[in-house]
Amino acid sequence: MTEFQRIGIVGRPGSESVKASTRRLAGLLRELQKDAAIEANYADEVKDIGLPTKTIHELGEWADLVIVVGGDGTLLGAAREICAFEVPILGINRGRLGFLTDIMPDDMERHVKAVLAGQYVKEDRFLLQASIERDGKEIAAGTAMNDVVLHPGQAIRMISFELSIDEQFVYSQRSDGLIVSTPTGSTAYALSAGGPIMHPKLDALVLVPMFPHALSSRPLVVAGDAQVCIKIGEDNTLEPMLSCDAQTSVQTRLGDMVCIKKLPHRLHLLHPTSHNYYAICRNKLGWGKKLVD
């Protein structure tokens, strides 16, 4: 497996625990004689570590590996920017859940050393690209690693829309919205809305209605390369929002067409060799453990 020499560091701003782990990580990289640089938007918080700064895109062009110190949300943001450069990402967990950032701070030095020496498990995760078309023209676009969500915004009202998949009409619906999720995102918002958990290796999407008016509306799993189109109903009394990973949002207008499909680039996510997806689910979701060892 690949050994890494040029390491980019991305951190979550505003966290003392993230700063502490970043300083430890910088010291480890110096000890291992690795070239390191820190993402510019985070660099002011850890000026004392003396690393050169680069924008997130410059890190994508320069680094062999990007290490994210923070929570899953920090990694999602980095992944959307780094994905096009095909640079692998490793996550140090300084958040809550840690489905993606699965190296705990107490084990950081041991696992990072092993990964940098080429001992790791690599997973390829796909992302989604979403666009909003108005009068036949694209007026906004975004990417998501977890999910693309159509929702009413701050108002508590149902919205109407029509769903098509691969240019075939599926249904019209009145609900609080629709979640279009990757397997990565199936343990996030889609899960809380009643969607299934999908193993990350699956090449599939899940469409999860949010509080649909018809009780027969259920989550729908489709092929990963399907093109999902949502037409915003003309009879809505509000203009719904479209959100990517709950981090970027755009307001739609009545009659807009939202198109969602797989991004051409894949994210290369690295884990320690001890990585076990089902163990993570047990720990994070409170599943029962083995009755007999």
Side-chain angles (χ1 to χ4, degrees), residues 1-263:
M1 290 187 175
T2 303
E3 294 186 23
F4 304 103
Q5 180 59 37
R6 297 191 302 274
I7 314 301
I9 301 174
V10 175
R12 186 181 79 238
S15 168
E16 292 300 322
S17 64
V18 171
K19 293 179 187 178
S21 292
T22 302
R23 293 187 179 100
R24 284 170 50 199
L25 177 61
L28 175 63
L29 296 177
R30 278 193 293 269
E31 175 189 323
L32 298 174
Q33 298 183 327
K34 301 294 183 180
D35 299 323
I38 193 161
E39 196 264 325
N41 289 335
Y42 178 60
D44 285 346
E45 303 210 11
V46 284
K47 292 179 179 178
D48 54 315
I49 64 176
L51 291 179
T53 65
K54 295 181 182 292
T55 67
I56 190 70
H57 286 176
E58 288 171 341
L59 284 182
E61 294 173 341
W62 172 81
D64 301 322
L65 171 69
V66 169
I67 300 179
V68 174
V69 185
D72 286 349
T74 309
L75 192 143
L76 290 173
R80 293 196 301 270
E81 302 294 338
I82 293 292
C83 181
F85 299 99
E86 302 287 337
V87 177
I89 290 183
L90 180 70
I92 310 297
N93 185 17
R94 275 301 189 178
R96 292 188 296 273
L97 281 176
F99 273 99
L100 302 173
T101 51
D102 56 351
I103 295 179
M104 301 307 294
D106 291 345
D107 299 322
M108 182 178 70
E109 283 82 0
R110 175 169 61 91
H111 285 314
V112 170
K113 279 183 180 180
V115 170
L116 295 181
Q119 301 169 27
Y120 55 83
V121 174
K122 185 178 82 168
E123 280 189 331
D124 288 342
R125 305 283 185 98
F126 71 85
L127 284 74
L128 298 175
Q129 56 184 3
S131 63
I132 300 175
E133 297 178 4
R134 183 174 301 154
D135 300 324
K137 297 181 180 179
E138 182 179 299
I139 58 97
T143 59
M145 185 173 176
N146 267 355
D147 47 46
V148 177
V149 181
L150 179 72
H151 60 95
Q154 296 182 348
I156 305 176
R157 285 184 192 166
M158 284 190 171
I159 56 179
S160 68
F161 56 88
E162 292 182 356
L163 174 68
S164 297
I165 298 174
D166 293 333
E167 300 183 347
Q168 294 185 337
F169 175 74
V170 180
Y171 55 60
S172 59
Q173 185 175 102
R174 287 186 59 79
S175 67
D176 283 6
L178 183 70
I179 303 168
V180 181
S181 172
T182 66
T184 299
S186 70
T187 50
Y189 194 24
L191 179 62
S192 66
I197 294 175
M198 298 193 294
H199 193 279
K201 290 183 180 179
L202 286 175
D203 185 12
L205 301 175
V206 62
L207 283 61
V208 185
M210 299 163 58
F211 299 102
H213 191 263
L215 296 179
S216 58
S217 294
R218 291 291 184 265
L220 177 64
V221 178
V222 300
D225 60 358
Q227 176 163 300
V228 176
C229 291
I230 306 167
K231 184 177 180 180
I232 310 301
E234 299 276 4
D235 58 341
N236 285 302
T237 57
L238 53 74
E239 295 178 332
M241 302 291 294
L242 189 75
S243 298
C244 294
D245 287 343
Q247 295 181 343
T248 59
S249 296
V250 178
Q251 189 169 42
T252 68
R253 291 184 183 174
L254 306 188
D256 281 357
M257 182 70 76
V258 176
C259 294
I260 303 164
K261 61 183 179 180
K262 185 188 294 183
L263 194 71

